[in-house]
Amino acid sequence: MWKQWLTEALLKTTIRYPSQGRFSPQINRFYINHATSIFPLHKQDITVEKSQLAGLNIEKITPTIQTNEYVILYLHGGGFHIGSLKSHRAWLYRLAQVTQTQVIHLEYPLAPEVPFPTSSESIYNAYLALLESGVDAQNIILAGDDSGANLVLALTQRFIRKQSVPLPRALMLFSPFLDLTLTSRSIRSNQKHDALTSLQFLQKSIHYYTANTNFEADDPRISPLYGDLTGLPPLLIQVGSKSLLLDDAKRLKEMAEAVDITVDYQLYTGMWHNFFMFNEWFEEGKQALVNTRSFIEEL
């Protein structure tokens, strides 16, 4: 318990409290890229290839031993305006290693320089480019954390509306940020408990993402929790009990099950937002990786 208490205190001091300030997105990106360098990079048993997909930079992380034909197309989180290939590199190396599945980490354009809908259009084109490269949709697992999970779910709902783009095999949503109206109860009840993110950070994120647009916060294209979930592929949802966004995940589970979507919902007691990135030091993070592997195997 002392290790968890110390980690939470450190995160609140170095990440959560500074995120409430008036720093520019550019400063926040620089800071997060350096802060996440504390995560050890395990480079064994993988190869990493830098390339592009529809003009966007990617890192293709391929395990030496690949036990399936799936490709995880991953969209990093960061409130739509921070996060990068670097910030999530250690976590995605471990994801590829433990699941023995290839991961394609996509560096999509960030707000406020590229707000919605231009940012999501770039991701849509990247998915089409992956299909055109010869990867079968039934071998694609779309995954993301925080705002990246939002983009994953909104993108899949767009495919269903259009009925002209084949759906991915499954979705994996980690600590998803799905309701930009900020009406989930946990945003208030977990304000003092979440070590990583804050209400002020979420509010800034929404402002950046919807800058100079006429979209309301409950528009399903930016808050996919308000969209039709019918027809979604199987879902994996992982969230910590202390996460500010706990109820975004819980509401998604309940709404998806109501329309007969297969849902593997995993709640990790005592864990904060994006706890899985700390898998090097906490058993809950290690278990989350193992459970992700099990979800993929069961597909």
Side-chain angles (χ1 to χ4, degrees), residues 38-52:
I38 66 168
F39 298 129
L41 273 180
H42 295 289
K43 299 181 181 180
Q44 66 274 21
D45 301 324
I46 58 169
T47 58
V48 181
E49 175 189 353
K50 296 182 183 296
S51 185
Q52 286 198 329

Side-chain angles (χ1 to χ4, degrees), residues 81-121:
H81 69 283
I82 62 174
S84 65
L85 296 178
K86 184 177 181 180
S87 67
H88 283 59
R89 187 170 286 147
W91 148 241
L92 293 180
Y93 279 15
R94 292 298 293 144
L95 181 64
Q97 289 162 342
V98 173
T99 64
Q100 296 182 320
T101 305
Q102 185 182 77
V103 175
I104 295 179
H105 186 191
L106 183 70
E107 188 164 55
Y108 57 90
L110 299 176
E113 295 91 338
V114 185
F116 181 86
T118 307
S119 55
S120 61
E121 194 68 24

Side-chain angles (χ1 to χ4, degrees), residues 176 179 182-194 197-199 202 239-251 265 267 273:
D179 182 2
L182 300 179
T183 53
S184 284
R185 287 185 303 171
S186 59
I187 289 178
R188 274 75 192 176
S189 61
N190 274 344
Q191 274 195 76
K192 294 182 179 180
H193 305 301
D194 195 323
T197 197
S198 66
L199 174 59
L202 297 180
V239 68
S241 66
K242 291 183 176 180
S243 173
L244 225 63
L245 300 173
L246 167 63
D247 284 342
D248 278 29
K250 189 183 299 183
R251 290 163 62 196
Y265 175 79
L267 176 65
H273 184 65

